[in-house]
Amino acid sequence: MHPKVFLQVAKEWAENAPECEGHTRSSISRAYYAAFHSCRDTVENLGIPQESHFPSHKRVIEALRTSGDQDLSKLSKKLKDLKVMREAADYDIDYRLPQQNKILSLRKAERIIEECAKKVPSSNQRGT
């Protein structure tokens, strides 16, 4: 499955029930996973070393950060910021999320996926 499928689901949930908090939270979560899987594929396709002692999400973020590539290092920060939004959506259920978080997470995920696509030829990307 291509990571963009997660992004498509996130957009559908965001559009189909814009006032539903469950759809908002789920949309943010799926947007993050679209970006995460794109970044993980990029790290793997570029052969960037990953620290095995880190959990999978931190492993990808750290691999991007320490890659030696300025663009990937910036991508690390963007993915980390999106992860914080996803964690709030998934875990802070007593906190009412602002609707703009949904829109912002979709935009961030789209940009991250676009930047990953620039780094890896499309023939090496999953699901293409």
Side-chain angles (χ1 to χ4, degrees):
M1 182 175 95
H2 195 282
K4 283 186 178 181
V5 174
F6 281 130
L7 185 60
Q8 183 58 41
V9 170
K11 288 178 179 180
E12 288 172 10
W13 282 343
E15 294 168 3
N16 291 339
E19 300 304 316
C20 174
E21 188 172 357
H23 278 80
T24 294
R25 289 175 181 276
S26 295
S27 176
I28 292 167
S29 184
R30 293 302 92 190
Y32 166 75
Y33 279 104
F36 167 76
H37 285 291
S38 290
C39 287
R40 187 178 70 183
D41 288 352
T42 299
V43 165
E44 291 173 359
N45 281 312
L46 294 176
I48 299 169
Q50 298 179 54
E51 297 291 333
S52 61
H53 62 278
F54 288 135
S56 62
H57 296 262
K58 186 172 183 178
R59 185 180 318 140
V60 170
I61 291 168
E62 286 300 308
L64 292 168
R65 187 181 68 80
T66 61
S67 67
D69 181 304
Q70 188 176 17
D71 294 332
L72 293 178
S73 184
K74 290 177 185 176
L75 199 58
S76 167
K77 170 87 169 90
K78 291 176 184 179
L79 183 61
K80 188 175 180 179
D81 291 347
L82 189 53
K83 183 176 183 270
V84 168
M85 292 176 73
R86 194 269 307 166
E87 289 172 341
D90 286 344
Y91 303 126
D92 297 337
I93 61 172
D94 292 330
Y95 170 69
R96 182 95 169 134
L97 289 173
Q99 284 292 315
Q100 65 261 28
N101 282 19
K102 175 178 55 181
I103 297 163
L104 184 59
S105 68
L106 291 170
R107 286 183 187 153
K108 283 180 178 277
E110 285 175 333
R111 284 191 207 115
I112 289 169
I113 291 167
E114 288 170 5
E115 291 176 35
C116 287
K118 290 177 187 175
K119 292 292 182 179
V120 178
S122 61
S123 61
N124 290 340
Q125 293 176 5
R126 180 189 323 237
T128 57

